[in-house]
Amino acid sequence: MPHFYAECTDNIRAEADLPALFAKVNQALVDTGIFPLAGVRSRAIWLDTWQMADGRHDYAFVHMTLKIGHGRSQDSRQQVGEMLFALIKEHFAALMASRYLALSFTIEELDPLLNYKQNNVHALFRNE
């Protein structure tokens, strides 16, 4: 962990530049020192069917979720959340200035017992 998800309306696919956002998010998460590089993942979920508000305009939205493992303090989670949302707002600033766009972001802490995983990527980074 952590895993970053971006659910985006398909009408901003060309302008959203999610690969650049993911590169910034991944680096920012690693730079906190509280998340292992090998566990960081970012992904897009493109929505081809949606309705927003009254449906009268070419609205768009991006809802982002950061799922993290259990055990970080409330202060750490809040600092990460504020840092990432600032990064997100900066990334989408030009797009938001040119169209109707809603951004939202939440952090979810996973259950400490009901969270199963296996990952051999961590070994790659242990020796670096």
Side-chain angles (χ1 to χ4, degrees):
M1 301 309 294
H3 292 199
F4 183 78
Y5 298 77
E7 298 174 63
C8 303
T9 55
D10 200 39
N11 60 342
I12 58 170
R13 187 183 284 259
E15 300 89 355
D17 195 8
L18 291 186
L21 174 64
F22 293 164
K24 290 183 253 186
V25 165
N26 285 18
Q27 188 60 56
L29 289 169
V30 170
D31 288 348
T32 67
I34 62 174
F35 300 108
L37 175 60
V40 178
R41 294 175 185 77
S42 293
R43 66 199 71 150
I45 302 165
W46 290 103
L47 306 171
D48 64 1
T49 307
W50 75 92
Q51 169 125 4
M52 186 174 165
D54 59 10
R56 294 176 39 193
H57 298 278
D58 186 30
Y59 302 117
F61 68 84
V62 184
H63 174 68
M64 292 145 287
T65 303
L66 180 67
K67 295 186 181 188
I68 63 172
H70 178 77
R72 278 108 183 159
S73 71
Q74 176 72 30
D75 285 344
S76 292
R77 293 190 314 261
Q78 186 172 356
Q79 288 174 5
V80 167
E82 290 171 2
M83 176 269 300
L84 279 185
F85 198 54
L87 183 154
I88 289 163
K89 291 188 297 183
E90 180 182 321
H91 178 82
F92 286 105
L95 187 57
M96 183 166 270
S98 69
R99 64 170 305 120
Y100 293 113
L101 176 65
L103 300 175
S104 56
F105 171 63
T106 187
I107 297 176
E108 296 178 5
E109 185 178 46
L110 300 176
D111 186 286
L113 299 176
L114 303 176
N115 179 15
Y116 308 93
K117 54 192 160 209
Q118 181 176 352
N119 179 347
N120 65 4
V121 178
H122 288 281
L124 176 67
F125 295 99
R126 270 192 213 114
N127 298 326
E128 288 188 10

PDB file of all heavy atoms in Angstrom, residues 35-69:
ATOM      1  N   PHE A  35       5.540   5.444   3.329  1.00  0.00           N
ATOM      2  CA  PHE A  35       4.995   4.431   2.421  1.00  0.00           C
ATOM      3  C   PHE A  35       6.135   3.791   1.636  1.00  0.00           C
ATOM      4  O   PHE A  35       7.006   4.497   1.127  1.00  0.00           O
ATOM      5  CB  PHE A  35       3.997   5.046   1.437  1.00  0.00           C
ATOM      6  CG  PHE A  35       2.822   5.697   2.099  1.00  0.00           C
ATOM      7  CD1 PHE A  35       2.703   7.076   2.124  1.00  0.00           C
ATOM      8  CD2 PHE A  35       1.837   4.936   2.705  1.00  0.00           C
ATOM      9  CE1 PHE A  35       1.624   7.687   2.735  1.00  0.00           C
ATOM     10  CE2 PHE A  35       0.742   5.538   3.321  1.00  0.00           C
ATOM     11  CZ  PHE A  35       0.640   6.919   3.332  1.00  0.00           C
ATOM     12  N   PRO A  36       6.142   2.478   1.501  1.00  0.00           N
ATOM     13  CA  PRO A  36       7.201   1.809   0.746  1.00  0.00           C
ATOM     14  C   PRO A  36       6.997   1.962  -0.760  1.00  0.00           C
ATOM     15  O   PRO A  36       5.879   1.826  -1.267  1.00  0.00           O
ATOM     16  CB  PRO A  36       7.067   0.345   1.160  1.00  0.00           C
ATOM     17  CG  PRO A  36       5.625   0.184   1.524  1.00  0.00           C
ATOM     18  CD  PRO A  36       5.204   1.516   2.101  1.00  0.00           C
ATOM     19  N   LEU A  37       8.056   2.263  -1.468  1.00  0.00           N
ATOM     20  CA  LEU A  37       8.006   2.442  -2.912  1.00  0.00           C
ATOM     21  C   LEU A  37       7.354   1.250  -3.610  1.00  0.00           C
ATOM     22  O   LEU A  37       6.530   1.419  -4.506  1.00  0.00           O
ATOM     23  CB  LEU A  37       9.419   2.665  -3.463  1.00  0.00           C
ATOM     24  CG  LEU A  37       9.575   2.753  -4.974  1.00  0.00           C
ATOM     25  CD1 LEU A  37       8.756   3.913  -5.536  1.00  0.00           C
ATOM     26  CD2 LEU A  37      11.041   2.906  -5.346  1.00  0.00           C
ATOM     27  N   ALA A  38       7.705   0.051  -3.205  1.00  0.00           N
ATOM     28  CA  ALA A  38       7.199  -1.148  -3.884  1.00  0.00           C
ATOM     29  C   ALA A  38       5.697  -1.334  -3.715  1.00  0.00           C
ATOM     30  O   ALA A  38       5.078  -2.072  -4.482  1.00  0.00           O
ATOM     31  CB  ALA A  38       7.927  -2.383  -3.372  1.00  0.00           C
ATOM     32  N   GLY A  39       5.107  -0.664  -2.752  1.00  0.00           N
ATOM     33  CA  GLY A  39       3.675  -0.816  -2.535  1.00  0.00           C
ATOM     34  C   GLY A  39       2.821   0.249  -3.198  1.00  0.00           C
ATOM     35  O   GLY A  39       1.598   0.135  -3.226  1.00  0.00           O
ATOM     36  N   VAL A  40       3.438   1.269  -3.751  1.00  0.00           N
ATOM     37  CA  VAL A  40       2.690   2.392  -4.318  1.00  0.00           C
ATOM     38  C   VAL A  40       2.160   2.020  -5.706  1.00  0.00           C
ATOM     39  O   VAL A  40       2.909   1.572  -6.568  1.00  0.00           O
ATOM     40  CB  VAL A  40       3.575   3.656  -4.410  1.00  0.00           C
ATOM     41  CG1 VAL A  40       2.805   4.810  -5.035  1.00  0.00           C
ATOM     42  CG2 VAL A  40       4.099   4.043  -3.042  1.00  0.00           C
ATOM     43  N   ARG A  41       0.862   2.209  -5.886  1.00  0.00           N
ATOM     44  CA  ARG A  41       0.225   1.959  -7.179  1.00  0.00           C
ATOM     45  C   ARG A  41      -0.801   3.047  -7.450  1.00  0.00           C
ATOM     46  O   ARG A  41      -1.509   3.465  -6.546  1.00  0.00           O
ATOM     47  CB  ARG A  41      -0.495   0.611  -7.178  1.00  0.00           C
ATOM     48  CG  ARG A  41       0.430  -0.566  -7.049  1.00  0.00           C
ATOM     49  CD  ARG A  41      -0.385  -1.861  -6.933  1.00  0.00           C
ATOM     50  NE  ARG A  41       0.446  -3.001  -6.694  1.00  0.00           N
ATOM     51  CZ  ARG A  41       1.001  -3.331  -5.536  1.00  0.00           C
ATOM     52  NH1 ARG A  41       0.825  -2.573  -4.478  1.00  0.00           N
ATOM     53  NH2 ARG A  41       1.736  -4.413  -5.410  1.00  0.00           N
ATOM     54  N   SER A  42      -0.878   3.473  -8.685  1.00  0.00           N
ATOM     55  CA  SER A  42      -1.893   4.438  -9.105  1.00  0.00           C
ATOM     56  C   SER A  42      -2.596   3.892 -10.332  1.00  0.00           C
ATOM     57  O   SER A  42      -1.963   3.247 -11.175  1.00  0.00           O
ATOM     58  CB  SER A  42      -1.254   5.794  -9.435  1.00  0.00           C
ATOM     59  OG  SER A  42      -0.736   6.393  -8.275  1.00  0.00           O
ATOM     60  N   ARG A  43      -3.879   4.172 -10.421  1.00  0.00           N
ATOM     61  CA  ARG A  43      -4.642   3.657 -11.556  1.00  0.00           C
ATOM     62  C   ARG A  43      -5.836   4.543 -11.869  1.00  0.00           C
ATOM     63  O   ARG A  43      -6.340   5.240 -10.994  1.00  0.00           O
ATOM     64  CB  ARG A  43      -5.128   2.242 -11.296  1.00  0.00           C
ATOM     65  CG  ARG A  43      -6.149   2.154 -10.178  1.00  0.00           C
ATOM     66  CD  ARG A  43      -6.273   0.762  -9.648  1.00  0.00           C
ATOM     67  NE  ARG A  43      -5.072   0.458  -8.913  1.00  0.00           N
ATOM     68  CZ  ARG A  43      -4.993  -0.356  -7.881  1.00  0.00           C
ATOM     69  NH1 ARG A  43      -6.049  -0.970  -7.433  1.00  0.00           N
ATOM     70  NH2 ARG A  43      -3.871  -0.573  -7.259  1.00  0.00           N
ATOM     71  N   ALA A  44      -6.258   4.483 -13.117  1.00  0.00           N
ATOM     72  CA  ALA A  44      -7.418   5.240 -13.586  1.00  0.00           C
ATOM     73  C   ALA A  44      -8.589   4.298 -13.810  1.00  0.00           C
ATOM     74  O   ALA A  44      -8.425   3.174 -14.274  1.00  0.00           O
ATOM     75  CB  ALA A  44      -7.093   5.953 -14.890  1.00  0.00           C
ATOM     76  N   ILE A  45      -9.743   4.800 -13.493  1.00  0.00           N
ATOM     77  CA  ILE A  45     -11.004   4.132 -13.806  1.00  0.00           C
ATOM     78  C   ILE A  45     -11.799   5.139 -14.627  1.00  0.00           C
ATOM     79  O   ILE A  45     -12.258   6.157 -14.104  1.00  0.00           O
ATOM     80  CB  ILE A  45     -11.761   3.739 -12.530  1.00  0.00           C
ATOM     81  CG1 ILE A  45     -10.894   2.831 -11.662  1.00  0.00           C
ATOM     82  CG2 ILE A  45     -13.097   3.083 -12.877  1.00  0.00           C
ATOM     83  CD1 ILE A  45     -11.383   2.676 -10.235  1.00  0.00           C
ATOM     84  N   TRP A  46     -11.888   4.881 -15.923  1.00  0.00           N
ATOM     85  CA  TRP A  46     -12.564   5.819 -16.821  1.00  0.00           C
ATOM     86  C   TRP A  46     -14.045   5.481 -16.879  1.00  0.00           C
ATOM     87  O   TRP A  46     -14.424   4.329 -17.082  1.00  0.00           O
ATOM     88  CB  TRP A  46     -11.948   5.775 -18.219  1.00  0.00           C
ATOM     89  CG  TRP A  46     -10.587   6.371 -18.222  1.00  0.00           C
ATOM     90  CD1 TRP A  46      -9.391   5.715 -18.251  1.00  0.00           C
ATOM     91  CD2 TRP A  46     -10.271   7.758 -18.150  1.00  0.00           C
ATOM     92  NE1 TRP A  46      -8.348   6.612 -18.208  1.00  0.00           N
ATOM     93  CE2 TRP A  46      -8.860   7.872 -18.141  1.00  0.00           C
ATOM     94  CE3 TRP A  46     -11.034   8.923 -18.081  1.00  0.00           C
ATOM     95  CZ2 TRP A  46      -8.208   9.103 -18.092  1.00  0.00           C
ATOM     96  CZ3 TRP A  46     -10.381  10.149 -18.028  1.00  0.00           C
ATOM     97  CH2 TRP A  46      -8.987  10.227 -18.035  1.00  0.00           C
ATOM     98  N   LEU A  47     -14.872   6.486 -16.731  1.00  0.00           N
ATOM     99  CA  LEU A  47     -16.321   6.319 -16.707  1.00  0.00           C
ATOM    100  C   LEU A  47     -16.904   6.784 -18.032  1.00  0.00           C
ATOM    101  O   LEU A  47     -16.781   7.953 -18.389  1.00  0.00           O
ATOM    102  CB  LEU A  47     -16.909   7.133 -15.554  1.00  0.00           C
ATOM    103  CG  LEU A  47     -16.301   6.851 -14.182  1.00  0.00           C
ATOM    104  CD1 LEU A  47     -16.793   7.854 -13.159  1.00  0.00           C
ATOM    105  CD2 LEU A  47     -16.604   5.429 -13.756  1.00  0.00           C
ATOM    106  N   ASP A  48     -17.523   5.859 -18.744  1.00  0.00           N
ATOM    107  CA  ASP A  48     -18.122   6.241 -20.021  1.00  0.00           C
ATOM    108  C   ASP A  48     -19.619   6.542 -19.887  1.00  0.00           C
ATOM    109  O   ASP A  48     -20.248   7.016 -20.825  1.00  0.00           O
ATOM    110  CB  ASP A  48     -17.870   5.178 -21.095  1.00  0.00           C
ATOM    111  CG  ASP A  48     -18.516   3.843 -20.791  1.00  0.00           C
ATOM    112  OD1 ASP A  48     -19.195   3.708 -19.752  1.00  0.00           O
ATOM    113  OD2 ASP A  48     -18.330   2.917 -21.596  1.00  0.00           O
ATOM    114  N   THR A  49     -20.189   6.286 -18.714  1.00  0.00           N
ATOM    115  CA  THR A  49     -21.596   6.569 -18.470  1.00  0.00           C
ATOM    116  C   THR A  49     -21.717   7.230 -17.106  1.00  0.00           C
ATOM    117  O   THR A  49     -21.285   6.661 -16.105  1.00  0.00           O
ATOM    118  CB  THR A  49     -22.422   5.267 -18.487  1.00  0.00           C
ATOM    119  OG1 THR A  49     -22.165   4.564 -19.706  1.00  0.00           O
ATOM    120  CG2 THR A  49     -23.902   5.555 -18.350  1.00  0.00           C
ATOM    121  N   TRP A  50     -22.277   8.426 -17.065  1.00  0.00           N
ATOM    122  CA  TRP A  50     -22.460   9.142 -15.804  1.00  0.00           C
ATOM    123  C   TRP A  50     -23.461  10.253 -16.018  1.00  0.00           C
ATOM    124  O   TRP A  50     -23.781  10.618 -17.148  1.00  0.00           O
ATOM    125  CB  TRP A  50     -21.134   9.732 -15.298  1.00  0.00           C
ATOM    126  CG  TRP A  50     -20.686  10.950 -16.043  1.00  0.00           C
ATOM    127  CD1 TRP A  50     -20.960  12.253 -15.738  1.00  0.00           C
ATOM    128  CD2 TRP A  50     -19.941  10.987 -17.260  1.00  0.00           C
ATOM    129  NE1 TRP A  50     -20.419  13.089 -16.684  1.00  0.00           N
ATOM    130  CE2 TRP A  50     -19.779  12.335 -17.626  1.00  0.00           C
ATOM    131  CE3 TRP A  50     -19.385  10.007 -18.079  1.00  0.00           C
ATOM    132  CZ2 TRP A  50     -19.100  12.726 -18.767  1.00  0.00           C
ATOM    133  CZ3 TRP A  50     -18.705  10.397 -19.203  1.00  0.00           C
ATOM    134  CH2 TRP A  50     -18.560  11.742 -19.540  1.00  0.00           C
ATOM    135  N   GLN A  51     -23.977  10.780 -14.951  1.00  0.00           N
ATOM    136  CA  GLN A  51     -24.752  12.017 -14.961  1.00  0.00           C
ATOM    137  C   GLN A  51     -24.273  12.840 -13.785  1.00  0.00           C
ATOM    138  O   GLN A  51     -24.042  12.309 -12.699  1.00  0.00           O
ATOM    139  CB  GLN A  51     -26.250  11.755 -14.823  1.00  0.00           C
ATOM    140  CG  GLN A  51     -27.013  13.035 -14.559  1.00  0.00           C
ATOM    141  CD  GLN A  51     -28.113  13.311 -15.519  1.00  0.00           C
ATOM    142  OE1 GLN A  51     -28.395  12.515 -16.390  1.00  0.00           O
ATOM    143  NE2 GLN A  51     -28.738  14.454 -15.365  1.00  0.00           N
ATOM    144  N   MET A  52     -24.129  14.099 -14.024  1.00  0.00           N
ATOM    145  CA  MET A  52     -23.707  15.009 -12.964  1.00  0.00           C
ATOM    146  C   MET A  52     -24.654  16.195 -12.941  1.00  0.00           C
ATOM    147  O   MET A  52     -25.018  16.731 -13.995  1.00  0.00           O
ATOM    148  CB  MET A  52     -22.274  15.472 -13.220  1.00  0.00           C
ATOM    149  CG  MET A  52     -21.700  16.298 -12.112  1.00  0.00           C
ATOM    150  SD  MET A  52     -19.955  16.622 -12.449  1.00  0.00           S
ATOM    151  CE  MET A  52     -19.711  17.931 -11.268  1.00  0.00           C
ATOM    152  N   ALA A  53     -25.053  16.560 -11.735  1.00  0.00           N
ATOM    153  CA  ALA A  53     -25.947  17.697 -11.522  1.00  0.00           C
ATOM    154  C   ALA A  53     -27.180  17.576 -12.420  1.00  0.00           C
ATOM    155  O   ALA A  53     -27.793  16.508 -12.475  1.00  0.00           O
ATOM    156  CB  ALA A  53     -25.197  19.009 -11.722  1.00  0.00           C
ATOM    157  N   ASP A  54     -27.514  18.645 -13.142  1.00  0.00           N
ATOM    158  CA  ASP A  54     -28.718  18.627 -13.970  1.00  0.00           C
ATOM    159  C   ASP A  54     -28.474  18.056 -15.367  1.00  0.00           C
ATOM    160  O   ASP A  54     -29.393  17.936 -16.166  1.00  0.00           O
ATOM    161  CB  ASP A  54     -29.321  20.027 -14.078  1.00  0.00           C
ATOM    162  CG  ASP A  54     -28.363  21.044 -14.675  1.00  0.00           C
ATOM    163  OD1 ASP A  54     -27.286  20.645 -15.188  1.00  0.00           O
ATOM    164  OD2 ASP A  54     -28.677  22.246 -14.622  1.00  0.00           O
ATOM    165  N   GLY A  55     -27.236  17.711 -15.695  1.00  0.00           N
ATOM    166  CA  GLY A  55     -26.921  17.129 -16.994  1.00  0.00           C
ATOM    167  C   GLY A  55     -26.972  18.106 -18.147  1.00  0.00           C
ATOM    168  O   GLY A  55     -26.844  17.703 -19.304  1.00  0.00           O
ATOM    169  N   ARG A  56     -27.137  19.397 -17.887  1.00  0.00           N
ATOM    170  CA  ARG A  56     -27.317  20.378 -18.958  1.00  0.00           C
ATOM    171  C   ARG A  56     -26.012  20.892 -19.540  1.00  0.00           C
ATOM    172  O   ARG A  56     -26.018  21.545 -20.579  1.00  0.00           O
ATOM    173  CB  ARG A  56     -28.144  21.549 -18.445  1.00  0.00           C
ATOM    174  CG  ARG A  56     -29.568  21.146 -18.110  1.00  0.00           C
ATOM    175  CD  ARG A  56     -30.384  22.252 -17.516  1.00  0.00           C
ATOM    176  NE  ARG A  56     -30.093  23.536 -18.158  1.00  0.00           N
ATOM    177  CZ  ARG A  56     -30.485  24.694 -17.671  1.00  0.00           C
ATOM    178  NH1 ARG A  56     -31.148  24.747 -16.537  1.00  0.00           N
ATOM    179  NH2 ARG A  56     -30.198  25.811 -18.298  1.00  0.00           N
ATOM    180  N   HIS A  57     -24.900  20.641 -18.878  1.00  0.00           N
ATOM    181  CA  HIS A  57     -23.611  21.131 -19.358  1.00  0.00           C
ATOM    182  C   HIS A  57     -22.667  19.950 -19.525  1.00  0.00           C
ATOM    183  O   HIS A  57     -22.949  18.835 -19.090  1.00  0.00           O
ATOM    184  CB  HIS A  57     -23.022  22.146 -18.375  1.00  0.00           C
ATOM    185  CG  HIS A  57     -23.870  23.369 -18.209  1.00  0.00           C
ATOM    186  ND1 HIS A  57     -23.845  24.413 -19.089  1.00  0.00           N
ATOM    187  CD2 HIS A  57     -24.784  23.685 -17.270  1.00  0.00           C
ATOM    188  CE1 HIS A  57     -24.702  25.341 -18.699  1.00  0.00           C
ATOM    189  NE2 HIS A  57     -25.291  24.917 -17.596  1.00  0.00           N
ATOM    190  N   ASP A  58     -21.544  20.216 -20.101  1.00  0.00           N
ATOM    191  CA  ASP A  58     -20.522  19.184 -20.278  1.00  0.00           C
ATOM    192  C   ASP A  58     -19.684  19.092 -18.995  1.00  0.00           C
ATOM    193  O   ASP A  58     -18.505  19.393 -18.981  1.00  0.00           O
ATOM    194  CB  ASP A  58     -19.644  19.532 -21.492  1.00  0.00           C
ATOM    195  CG  ASP A  58     -18.662  18.419 -21.824  1.00  0.00           C
ATOM    196  OD1 ASP A  58     -18.976  17.237 -21.568  1.00  0.00           O
ATOM    197  OD2 ASP A  58     -17.566  18.735 -22.317  1.00  0.00           O
ATOM    198  N   TYR A  59     -20.360  18.699 -17.927  1.00  0.00           N
ATOM    199  CA  TYR A  59     -19.688  18.586 -16.634  1.00  0.00           C
ATOM    200  C   TYR A  59     -18.672  17.448 -16.670  1.00  0.00           C
ATOM    201  O   TYR A  59     -18.804  16.501 -17.442  1.00  0.00           O
ATOM    202  CB  TYR A  59     -20.694  18.261 -15.526  1.00  0.00           C
ATOM    203  CG  TYR A  59     -21.813  19.246 -15.350  1.00  0.00           C
ATOM    204  CD1 TYR A  59     -23.133  18.854 -15.564  1.00  0.00           C
ATOM    205  CD2 TYR A  59     -21.575  20.548 -14.934  1.00  0.00           C
ATOM    206  CE1 TYR A  59     -24.186  19.733 -15.374  1.00  0.00           C
ATOM    207  CE2 TYR A  59     -22.623  21.439 -14.747  1.00  0.00           C
ATOM    208  CZ  TYR A  59     -23.921  21.018 -14.971  1.00  0.00           C
ATOM    209  OH  TYR A  59     -24.951  21.896 -14.782  1.00  0.00           O
ATOM    210  N   ALA A  60     -17.705  17.534 -15.778  1.00  0.00           N
ATOM    211  CA  ALA A  60     -16.721  16.461 -15.623  1.00  0.00           C
ATOM    212  C   ALA A  60     -16.370  16.357 -14.149  1.00  0.00           C
ATOM    213  O   ALA A  60     -16.519  17.317 -13.391  1.00  0.00           O
ATOM    214  CB  ALA A  60     -15.460  16.760 -16.437  1.00  0.00           C
ATOM    215  N   PHE A  61     -15.924  15.171 -13.753  1.00  0.00           N
ATOM    216  CA  PHE A  61     -15.439  15.036 -12.390  1.00  0.00           C
ATOM    217  C   PHE A  61     -14.313  14.028 -12.324  1.00  0.00           C
ATOM    218  O   PHE A  61     -14.165  13.162 -13.185  1.00  0.00           O
ATOM    219  CB  PHE A  61     -16.553  14.679 -11.397  1.00  0.00           C
ATOM    220  CG  PHE A  61     -17.157  13.309 -11.558  1.00  0.00           C
ATOM    221  CD1 PHE A  61     -16.559  12.182 -10.989  1.00  0.00           C
ATOM    222  CD2 PHE A  61     -18.350  13.146 -12.236  1.00  0.00           C
ATOM    223  CE1 PHE A  61     -17.131  10.929 -11.109  1.00  0.00           C
ATOM    224  CE2 PHE A  61     -18.936  11.892 -12.359  1.00  0.00           C
ATOM    225  CZ  PHE A  61     -18.323  10.791 -11.798  1.00  0.00           C
ATOM    226  N   VAL A  62     -13.523  14.198 -11.281  1.00  0.00           N
ATOM    227  CA  VAL A  62     -12.486  13.237 -10.930  1.00  0.00           C
ATOM    228  C   VAL A  62     -12.637  12.993  -9.438  1.00  0.00           C
ATOM    229  O   VAL A  62     -12.518  13.937  -8.638  1.00  0.00           O
ATOM    230  CB  VAL A  62     -11.061  13.746 -11.233  1.00  0.00           C
ATOM    231  CG1 VAL A  62     -10.035  12.656 -10.931  1.00  0.00           C
ATOM    232  CG2 VAL A  62     -10.939  14.229 -12.665  1.00  0.00           C
ATOM    233  N   HIS A  63     -12.953  11.761  -9.080  1.00  0.00           N
ATOM    234  CA  HIS A  63     -12.990  11.394  -7.663  1.00  0.00           C
ATOM    235  C   HIS A  63     -11.801  10.482  -7.399  1.00  0.00           C
ATOM    236  O   HIS A  63     -11.644   9.453  -8.049  1.00  0.00           O
ATOM    237  CB  HIS A  63     -14.284  10.682  -7.280  1.00  0.00           C
ATOM    238  CG  HIS A  63     -14.231  10.200  -5.859  1.00  0.00           C
ATOM    239  ND1 HIS A  63     -14.225  11.056  -4.790  1.00  0.00           N
ATOM    240  CD2 HIS A  63     -14.116   8.957  -5.353  1.00  0.00           C
ATOM    241  CE1 HIS A  63     -14.121  10.356  -3.680  1.00  0.00           C
ATOM    242  NE2 HIS A  63     -14.048   9.075  -3.995  1.00  0.00           N
ATOM    243  N   MET A  64     -10.974  10.885  -6.468  1.00  0.00           N
ATOM    244  CA  MET A  64      -9.754  10.143  -6.169  1.00  0.00           C
ATOM    245  C   MET A  64      -9.823   9.563  -4.765  1.00  0.00           C
ATOM    246  O   MET A  64     -10.341  10.198  -3.846  1.00  0.00           O
ATOM    247  CB  MET A  64      -8.534  11.049  -6.322  1.00  0.00           C
ATOM    248  CG  MET A  64      -8.289  11.439  -7.782  1.00  0.00           C
ATOM    249  SD  MET A  64      -7.642  13.100  -7.989  1.00  0.00           S
ATOM    250  CE  MET A  64      -9.067  14.116  -7.634  1.00  0.00           C
ATOM    251  N   THR A  65      -9.292   8.360  -4.636  1.00  0.00           N
ATOM    252  CA  THR A  65      -9.247   7.662  -3.357  1.00  0.00           C
ATOM    253  C   THR A  65      -7.838   7.149  -3.140  1.00  0.00           C
ATOM    254  O   THR A  65      -7.230   6.589  -4.051  1.00  0.00           O
ATOM    255  CB  THR A  65     -10.221   6.460  -3.364  1.00  0.00           C
ATOM    256  OG1 THR A  65     -11.540   6.919  -3.673  1.00  0.00           O
ATOM    257  CG2 THR A  65     -10.222   5.750  -2.020  1.00  0.00           C
ATOM    258  N   LEU A  66      -7.342   7.347  -1.939  1.00  0.00           N
ATOM    259  CA  LEU A  66      -6.076   6.766  -1.530  1.00  0.00           C
ATOM    260  C   LEU A  66      -6.392   5.717  -0.478  1.00  0.00           C
ATOM    261  O   LEU A  66      -6.929   6.046   0.586  1.00  0.00           O
ATOM    262  CB  LEU A  66      -5.132   7.822  -0.953  1.00  0.00           C
ATOM    263  CG  LEU A  66      -3.774   7.304  -0.489  1.00  0.00           C
ATOM    264  CD1 LEU A  66      -2.939   6.819  -1.681  1.00  0.00           C
ATOM    265  CD2 LEU A  66      -3.030   8.376   0.295  1.00  0.00           C
ATOM    266  N   LYS A  67      -6.105   4.472  -0.793  1.00  0.00           N
ATOM    267  CA  LYS A  67      -6.305   3.382   0.163  1.00  0.00           C
ATOM    268  C   LYS A  67      -4.956   3.065   0.787  1.00  0.00           C
ATOM    269  O   LYS A  67      -3.987   2.817   0.071  1.00  0.00           O
ATOM    270  CB  LYS A  67      -6.894   2.159  -0.527  1.00  0.00           C
ATOM    271  CG  LYS A  67      -8.290   2.416  -1.049  1.00  0.00           C
ATOM    272  CD  LYS A  67      -8.926   1.163  -1.590  1.00  0.00           C
ATOM    273  CE  LYS A  67     -10.324   1.497  -2.112  1.00  0.00           C
ATOM    274  NZ  LYS A  67     -11.061   0.296  -2.468  1.00  0.00           N
ATOM    275  N   ILE A  68      -4.931   3.096   2.117  1.00  0.00           N
ATOM    276  CA  ILE A  68      -3.677   2.854   2.823  1.00  0.00           C
ATOM    277  C   ILE A  68      -3.875   1.756   3.858  1.00  0.00           C
ATOM    278  O   ILE A  68      -4.979   1.524   4.337  1.00  0.00           O
ATOM    279  CB  ILE A  68      -3.144   4.134   3.500  1.00  0.00           C
ATOM    280  CG1 ILE A  68      -4.105   4.648   4.565  1.00  0.00           C
ATOM    281  CG2 ILE A  68      -2.853   5.204   2.465  1.00  0.00           C
ATOM    282  CD1 ILE A  68      -3.553   5.789   5.403  1.00  0.00           C
ATOM    283  N   GLY A  69      -2.780   1.107   4.201  1.00  0.00           N
ATOM    284  CA  GLY A  69      -2.805   0.112   5.257  1.00  0.00           C
ATOM    285  C   GLY A  69      -3.029   0.759   6.615  1.00  0.00           C
ATOM    286  O   GLY A  69      -2.781   1.943   6.820  1.00  0.00           O
TER     287      GLY A  69
END
